[in-house]
Amino acid sequence: MQASRDQWSSRLVFVFAATGSAVGLGNIWKFPYMAGENGGSSFILVYLAIVFLIGLPILCCELMLGRHGKRNTMNLFRRFNRDYGTSNQWSVIGWMGALTGALILSYYSVIGGWVIEYIFKAAGNMFAGVSSEVIAAQFKSFVADPMQLLLWHSVFMGIVALTLAGGVRGGIERAVRYMIPLLALLLIALIGYNIATLDMGTALNFMFDFQPEKITPAVVLAALGQAFFSIGVGMGAMMIYGSYLPEGKPLLGLTSVIVVADTSIAIFAGLAIFPVLFAFGIEPGQGAGLIFNTLPIAFGQMPGGVIFGTLFFVLLFIAAWTSAISLIEPMIAWGVENRGWGRKGATWGISLIVWLLGLLTVFSFSDLSDVKLFGKNPFELIDYVTSNILLPLGGLLIVIFAAWILPATVAREEAGIEPGRDLIWKTVTRFLCPAAILIVFYHSVF
Ligand code: PHE
């Protein structure tokens, strides 16, 4: 697909692309460790509430702005200025989003690189018959070697740039149609294996036992950030995907499909990982290495583990890849459409900057691990600022713009809000979403 105002060949291709953007490392790598760090169920239940009450309506607004404006995320607001007299200042949503996407991709690519390394580890039968300590040691020595991380980070960014520059992405997006369901099936198979061989009780309690006293402002902020990150809302990726979407079909239905798919995969990932974690006495709050320290144990013990493990990491890589391309699409579209750069030049130039930024994450697990700001190493800081501040802030501006500034008829037509439901839609988008984000921000600061 080119950056000019091409359209998706069908609505279905759009659903695949948008689902491909939503489903990624956020669901399988990040969700379990965030849940582990934030007390399990308290985090997960707040997360689910936020996804459906706040994430879903804002995603719908974001897609709606894109489809209605049919411009890249920077030019969109100039068009609204022309058509509806809204202020040009709203372009800040586009600028901030493009920056957020580049920052997220800088570390996303490094973690994508870890996944590539683990494809080879799994295929090389490195997990069979080894203890959980050996698995942990394998991971530790891998991330402590910046040259290895650099290599795979470069490979990942290279693949992303090639995809975006070479226009082969249509094929990738179509592949999502089979890959995401296959990934979901594989997770279900892992859950089945857990049910057959391990005790599920502790994990289920950890994930779903309602303990309101454990819900602190920090947990709620983390859940908010994770919800935005996982459905991919707040930085304009979905806006730009919406801008390639033909008129017609109401967006609310499409949005629900994406959100339900995304959330199911995150919950499946939790159910695949936590039973293994408790069975082997692994620390849930250990951070970014969690899936690399748990799933290989299961792959190492199950029959056919080499095949399952390899397939799992391949599918996870594909999921990460289809998310990654959406993270810099807004910037590239801007370069091509506003600056008149060639598609190739824009892609390689921007990818190079993102690659350089990624070095901060590469070294965060070795040389820079003790360089801390607010108690966080560079990777943790970039992750925290983008997920917990920039994405929700972007979402806040998007929902305010869509609900208060644009004429209400736009939402009615684009989202497909029936007259009887208008009041619910307005209450949610005008009051509930902005208020919820503001309250979370307020409590996190004070
Ligand atoms: N949603 C993606 C994931 O879960 C990441 C992403 C964030 C993609 C923001 C686009 C925008 O991995």
Side-chain angles (χ1 to χ4, degrees):
M1 207 182 58
Q2 297 303 309
S4 56
R5 295 293 98 201
D6 279 358
Q7 293 200 336
W8 302 103
S9 49
S10 75
R11 206 166 47 80
L12 217 55
V13 178
F14 162 79
V15 177
F16 301 145
T19 313
S21 163
V23 176
L25 295 174
N27 309 60
I28 293 172
W29 160 72
K30 197 170 175 198
F31 174 78
Y33 89 76
M34 290 297 287
E37 275 179 347
N38 289 285
S41 58
S42 41
F43 173 88
I44 292 177
L45 298 172
V46 175
Y47 168 81
L48 290 174
I50 292 178
V51 161
F52 288 100
L53 291 175
I54 304 172
L56 193 156
I58 298 187
L59 177 59
C60 190
C61 288
E62 187 170 331
L63 289 170
M64 170 179 114
L65 293 186
R67 184 165 74 178
H68 197 71
K70 297 245 168 329
R71 295 282 186 281
N72 72 44
T73 50
M74 328 279 177
N75 291 352
L76 201 63
F77 296 92
R78 273 192 243 144
R79 162 142 193 205
F80 292 138
N81 166 276
R82 192 192 71 198
D83 293 351
Y84 304 111
T86 58
S87 160
N88 266 333
Q89 314 260 352
W90 289 99
S91 303
V92 66
I93 295 176
W95 287 109
M96 203 175 75
L99 179 73
T100 310
L103 282 171
I104 294 179
L105 185 57
S106 79
Y107 73 80
Y108 205 88
S109 165
V110 178
I111 312 296
W114 296 4
V115 174
I116 304 180
E117 162 76 15
Y118 270 70
I119 296 176
F120 291 105
K121 278 200 175 18
N125 203 10
M126 299 268 290
F127 310 139
V130 295
S131 66
S132 55
E133 288 80 19
V134 173
I135 301 259
Q138 283 180 5
F139 177 75
K140 220 172 150 191
S141 73
F142 168 58
V143 293
D145 180 355
M147 285 310 125
Q148 285 226 48
L149 300 201
L150 187 62
L151 169 72
W152 293 127
H153 164 53
S154 311
V155 169
F156 190 93
M157 261 326 284
I159 294 174
V160 168
L162 275 176
T163 320
L164 285 166
V168 286
R169 67 181 286 194
I172 315 250
E173 257 130 27
R174 247 155 283 197
V176 167
R177 170 187 208 158
Y178 306 102
M179 296 305 171
I180 303 278
L182 198 58
L183 182 62
L185 275 180
L186 203 64
L187 286 169
I188 292 172
L190 278 172
I191 299 170
Y193 178 76
N194 286 347
I195 294 175
T197 57
L198 304 173
D199 155 47
M200 297 292 284
T202 322
L204 286 175
N205 259 339
F206 179 76
M207 287 179 68
F208 299 114
D209 185 28
F210 184 52
Q211 291 175 311
E213 72 283 356
K214 289 204 321 210
I215 301 177
T216 63
V219 167
V220 179
L221 179 68
L224 180 79
Q226 175 61 19
F228 276 70
F229 184 86
S230 185
I231 50 185
V233 76
M235 50 80 41
M238 291 292 189
M239 214 181 280
I240 212 141
Y241 277 13
S243 77
Y244 301 126
L245 187 65
E247 311 285 324
K249 201 72 179 168
L251 289 171
L252 203 52
L254 288 179
T255 312
S256 312
V257 173
I258 299 167
V259 171
V260 168
D262 186 71
T263 310
S264 315
I265 293 198
I267 297 292
F268 291 166
L271 289 169
I273 285 160
F274 286 116
V276 181
L277 177 142
F278 289 113
F280 290 90
I282 294 166
E283 165 57 37
Q286 59 174 265
L290 187 62
I291 68 160
F292 300 96
N293 285 330
T294 42
L295 288 182
I297 304 176
F299 294 135
Q301 303 204 336
M302 66 176 55
V306 178
I307 295 170
F308 277 120
T310 312
L311 189 61
F312 173 82
F313 285 111
V314 168
L315 291 173
L316 181 55
F317 164 73
I318 293 171
W321 182 7
T322 52
S323 300
I325 55 182
S326 73
L327 282 162
I328 46 169
E329 177 72 20
M331 259 210 183
I332 293 173
W334 165 79
V336 173
E337 294 175 15
N338 292 32
R339 304 267 105 203
W341 299 342
R343 176 93 190 165
K344 285 207 164 69
T347 306
W348 286 103
I350 293 166
S351 301
L352 180 66
I353 297 173
V354 173
W355 179 84
L356 283 171
L357 273 172
L359 299 182
L360 286 171
T361 296
V362 163
F363 289 100
S364 285
F365 300 90
S366 44
D367 305 59
L368 294 180
S369 64
D370 291 327
V371 178
K372 295 206 170 170
L373 203 63
F374 304 111
K376 294 180 171 18
N377 68 33
F379 154 67
E380 290 163 341
L381 193 67
I382 298 173
D383 175 32
Y384 186 90
V385 171
T386 50
S387 299
N388 294 6
I389 301 171
L390 293 174
L391 289 180
L393 190 60
L396 176 67
L397 295 174
I398 286 169
V399 77
I400 292 179
F401 183 80
W404 289 97
I405 312 288
L406 271 190
T409 46
V410 176
R412 250 176 252 140
E413 286 158 21
E414 294 285 351
I417 309 296
E418 291 147 27
R421 301 255 175 82
D422 213 31
L423 186 66
I424 306 183
W425 171 259
K426 277 198 174 144
T427 312
V428 170
T429 53
R430 290 194 153 182
F431 301 103
L432 179 76
C433 294
I437 297 175
L438 285 172
I439 291 171
V440 177
F441 276 165
Y442 178 86
H443 279 285
S444 323
V445 176
F446 297 105

